[in-house]
Amino acid sequence: MVVISDIRSKTAPSQSKRKISQITKIARHHSATTTGDYFAFWNNRWKGLGWGKGGYHEIILRDGTVQLCYDAIYPTNGIANHNTNTYHICVVGNGSFTQAQEDAFEERCRLAMSKFNVSVNNVLGHNEFSGTA
């Protein structure tokens, strides 16, 4: 079982909500950085883009700890034109991930699949969504 760091009370608030039944996909992201967490991404990227909220519901740190950033009822800014129906999980790294991260992703993804009734065919990498580069 992974260690959860619940930071939901410390993240930028979301002004929009959705019904859990709207979630039909789960996205796996990578941060394209060697380190980082929600606060580093917020201060060094998202805030500068003018975003009002972060990009991911969960962030899996290098040691496998999961930062729980947003409740599923709040869409985040993970993939343009796909946020209303997607639950976003980010793994910190750029193509090289630790076993702890892979184990945490598998556990968290399986939990989300069960919770949102999402099939494995609808678990996609960021670039597998239509209209992404």
Side-chain angles (χ1 to χ4, degrees):
M1 181 168 239
V2 300
V3 173
I4 303 291
S5 175
D6 187 348
I7 62 169
R8 291 175 292 181
S9 66
K10 299 174 185 174
T11 59
S14 177
Q15 301 303 313
S16 57
K17 288 187 178 182
R18 64 178 171 196
K19 294 179 182 175
I20 294 295
S21 61
Q22 290 178 272
I23 300 172
T24 59
K25 297 200 181 328
I26 298 169
R28 177 178 167 136
H29 300 268
H30 68 91
S31 66
T33 62
T34 55
T35 62
D37 65 2
Y38 172 87
F39 304 103
F41 304 149
W42 177 255
N43 290 317
N44 297 318
R45 177 140 173 88
W46 299 333
K47 192 166 51 170
L49 292 172
W51 292 4
K53 59 188 165 196
Y56 314 118
H57 293 93
E58 301 183 19
I59 299 173
I60 302 174
L61 307 179
R62 298 294 290 172
D63 68 358
T65 299
V66 175
Q67 286 186 316
L68 185 56
C69 306
Y70 292 95
D71 287 325
I73 61 168
Y74 300 110
T76 60
N77 291 325
I79 305 170
N81 302 314
H82 295 279
N83 294 320
T84 301
N85 69 329
T86 304
Y87 187 81
H88 300 280
I89 302 173
C90 178
V91 184
V92 175
N94 194 13
S96 177
F97 307 105
T98 67
Q99 190 59 51
Q101 286 178 296
E102 294 296 355
D103 293 345
F105 179 81
E106 183 172 343
E107 181 178 316
R108 298 303 295 172
C109 186
R110 286 182 185 273
L111 179 65
M113 288 169 63
S114 175
K115 186 176 183 178
F116 310 129
N117 196 30
V118 172
S119 76
V120 71
N121 294 333
N122 286 321
V123 177
L124 306 170
H126 181 118
N127 290 344
E128 294 179 292
F129 284 79
S130 64
T132 61

